[in-house]
């Protein structure tokens, strides 16, 4: 990715502290993106369909036009989500126009610095979009979203050419 900077451990922990404050963990011991995804304004969809039916370039452009120039991308830690990730995995701060947003990753989250919204892609090829403004944008960019609400890790994937 271009225009991306790796985050150090202190930066990661600071971001996780912000996430824990905005969306407190349900078990009070460790934070997981599902804590944010339980918000009333959350949409859970089939990642493979999102990747094939929504233009990532258009999504990035719309986010940039709305003032989201830089986003954070965090990956799952070991053994818990909010622990540090393995040494070969790098969290980063990235220009939104270069971010892979909800594509090509498992157990990753993307969010702007003000935490207005969160995108979380899980290991079951499901993606959560959290935050009213983001939900409205996804629904606008993806009229077929309702047909691809996540229901099972065994959902039928689109044929890729």
């Amino acid at each position: 990715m271009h225009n991306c900077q790796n985050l150090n451990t202190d930066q990661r922990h600071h971001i996780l502290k912000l996430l824990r404050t905005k969306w407190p963990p349900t078990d009070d011991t460790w934070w997981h993106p599902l804590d944010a995804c339980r918000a009333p304004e959350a949409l859970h969809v089939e990642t493979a369909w999102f990747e094939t039916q929504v233009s990532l370039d258009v999504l990035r452009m719309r986010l940039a036009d709305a003032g989201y120039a830089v986003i954070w991308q965090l990956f799952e830690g070991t053994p818990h989500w909010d622990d540090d990730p393995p040494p070969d995995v790098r969290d980063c701060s990235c220009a939104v126009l270069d971010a892979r947003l909800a594509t090509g990753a498992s157990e990753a989250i993307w969010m702007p610095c003000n935490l207005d919204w969160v995108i979380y892609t899980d290991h079951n090829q499901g993606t959560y979009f959290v935050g009213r403004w983001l939900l409205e944008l996804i629904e606008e960019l993806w009229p077929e979203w309702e047909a691809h609400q996540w229901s099972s890790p065994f959902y039928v994937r689109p044929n890729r050419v």
Side-chain angles (χ1 to χ4, degrees):
M1 283 189 276
H2 309 292
N3 299 318
C4 294
Q5 294 183 319
N6 290 337
L7 298 173
N8 64 36
T9 301
D10 289 341
Q11 291 167 316
R12 176 186 173 82
H13 288 267
H14 174 73
I15 295 165
L16 286 165
K17 182 179 178 184
L18 296 173
L19 289 165
R20 289 175 71 91
T21 300
K22 181 149 182 149
W23 295 288
T26 54
D27 71 357
D28 253 356
T29 56
W30 53 281
W31 188 85
H32 190 282
L34 289 176
D35 294 320
C37 298
R38 290 183 179 93
E41 289 107 10
L43 175 63
H44 191 195
V45 299
E46 300 164 336
T47 305
W49 286 99
F50 174 81
E51 289 177 343
T52 59
Q53 294 184 341
V54 177
S55 165
L56 184 55
D57 289 336
V58 171
L59 175 58
R60 290 175 183 148
M61 204 54 119
R62 293 290 299 274
L63 292 171
D65 289 348
Y68 300 105
V70 175
I71 58 147
W72 291 320
Q73 179 178 3
L74 300 183
F75 293 96
E76 180 179 30
T78 302
H80 297 111
W81 222 99
D82 61 355
D83 291 324
D84 292 333
D88 60 328
V89 175
R90 294 287 197 210
D91 299 323
C92 64
S93 174
C94 190
V96 75
L97 294 175
D98 293 322
R100 298 270 328 260
L101 301 170
T103 63
S106 176
E107 293 301 330
I109 57 175
W110 298 263
M111 76 232 82
C113 303
N114 64 5
L115 303 182
D116 278 351
W117 48 263
V118 169
I119 299 172
Y120 166 51
T121 299
D122 64 26
H123 63 269
N124 290 317
Q125 286 201 347
T127 297
Y128 289 87
F129 297 96
V130 180
R132 177 168 299 286
W133 179 85
L134 181 61
L135 291 184
E136 291 172 0
L137 176 60
I138 296 302
E139 291 172 2
E140 176 189 332
L141 296 177
W142 191 21
E144 298 83 17
W145 72 269
E146 286 185 90
H148 300 291
Q149 293 183 68
W150 193 89
S151 60
S152 161
F154 307 108
Y155 66 85
V156 176
R157 275 34 176 204
N159 292 325
R160 297 191 189 224
V161 179

